[in-house]
Amino acid sequence: MDRFLQTFFNPVVMAQYTPDIIAGIWVTLQIAAAVIVAGIAGGLLLACLRSYRIRALNFFIICYADIFRALPPLVVILILYFGFPSIGIQLSGPMVLFIVLAATLAAFAEEIFWAGFSSVEKGQWEAGIATGLGFTRTLAYVALPQAVRLAIPPLVNRVLAITKMTALGSAIGVSEILSSATTAQSFSGSATPLTMSVVAYLVIFLPMVIVARWLESRTAWKKR
């Protein structure tokens, strides 16, 4: 037991590297917040544009959504960070991580919001247009509130899954939680910093898991 505690819960190592882990938490929170805002806003915008059913535009939106849902984010991160400098485009690690994760979340969010728009009965669209609202205002005042309400539970789960991918930043030197923990582990020779990273991720993401479960149960109750 003593050996286990010394390996994973060494108080001396904890005291020494707590500032580094806290700094990593701050970086993770900043990137995650930016990804959530940009990804959800981008996905909603794409879904709204897709509702106009402009064939050429929809083709590109669908291709974008399918490609970014299919590609592993790590592959795209490595291409942008290590490949783009060869063509004269230099992006910082945090910027690459933000771009890739926001683009991935936007692709999933677009499909989620589009499913919400598609679930709105055709009669409601026709009624809104017939009353003089026009397509755009019918989209904004009739379809959008329903689509957003239906999208919240699956969207929260997807947000949770993608924001956890901030850990991929360790592959390109972003000083987020995992990167800070692995650096501390290599210097200390102890697994304690990795244990600290587990605790940090739980502090950040466990509340999101609880919120997601609550939203799912509430939506299921409303459907009964």
Side-chain angles (χ1 to χ4, degrees), residues 91-137:
L91 298 172
S92 67
M95 181 58 68
V96 168
L97 189 61
F98 163 72
I99 290 172
V100 174
L101 295 187
T104 302
L105 178 56
F108 281 97
E110 186 278 328
E111 288 297 309
I112 292 171
F113 283 123
W114 175 247
F117 284 129
S118 300
S119 68
V120 178
E121 295 182 1
K122 184 179 179 181
Q124 295 189 45
W125 290 92
E126 293 173 345
I129 295 172
T131 57
L133 288 176
F135 184 84
T136 299
R137 284 190 292 178

Side-chain angles (χ1 to χ4, degrees), residues 15-213:
Q16 182 178 356
Y17 291 103
T18 293
D20 294 335
I21 300 299
I22 292 175
I25 291 174
W26 178 239
V27 172
T28 298
L29 287 173
Q30 286 181 306
I31 295 175
V35 166
I36 291 170
V37 172
I40 292 177
L44 181 57
L45 176 61
L46 291 174
C48 289
L49 291 174
R50 188 173 173 182
S51 298
Y52 286 88
R53 300 186 184 277
I54 302 172
R55 183 170 297 181
L57 180 61
N58 282 8
F59 173 78
F60 286 107
I61 292 174
I62 292 170
C63 287
Y64 164 80
D66 288 349
I67 289 171
F68 273 91
R69 287 190 300 152
L71 282 174
L74 180 59
V75 173
V76 185
I77 288 170
L78 295 178
I79 289 174
L80 291 185
Y81 190 75
F82 294 109
F84 271 34
S86 301
I87 58 174
I89 301 175
Q90 187 78 42
L91 298 172
S92 67
M95 181 58 68
V96 168
L97 189 61
F98 163 72
I99 290 172
V100 174
L101 295 187
T104 302
L105 178 56
F108 281 97
E110 186 278 328
E111 288 297 309
I112 292 171
F113 283 123
W114 175 247
F117 284 129
S118 300
S119 68
V120 178
E121 295 182 1
K122 184 179 179 181
Q124 295 189 45
W125 290 92
E126 293 173 345
I129 295 172
T131 57
L133 288 176
F135 184 84
T136 299
R137 284 190 292 178
T138 300
L139 172 66
Y141 299 136
V142 178
L144 184 59
Q146 298 181 62
V148 169
R149 187 163 55 249
L150 291 171
I152 286 176
L155 188 60
V156 169
N157 285 315
R158 185 52 58 182
V159 164
L160 176 62
I162 292 176
T163 51
K164 285 190 295 185
M165 293 181 187
T166 51
L168 297 176
S170 61
I172 55 174
V174 178
S175 299
E176 43 71 59
I177 295 172
L178 182 59
S179 178
S180 300
T182 53
T183 300
Q185 187 271 332
S186 65
F187 279 109
S188 66
S190 170
T192 298
L194 299 178
T195 304
M196 296 167 68
S197 73
V198 171
V199 174
Y201 280 117
L202 286 174
V203 169
I204 294 174
F205 293 110
L206 187 57
M208 295 178 65
V209 172
I210 294 171
V211 169
R213 187 179 298 278

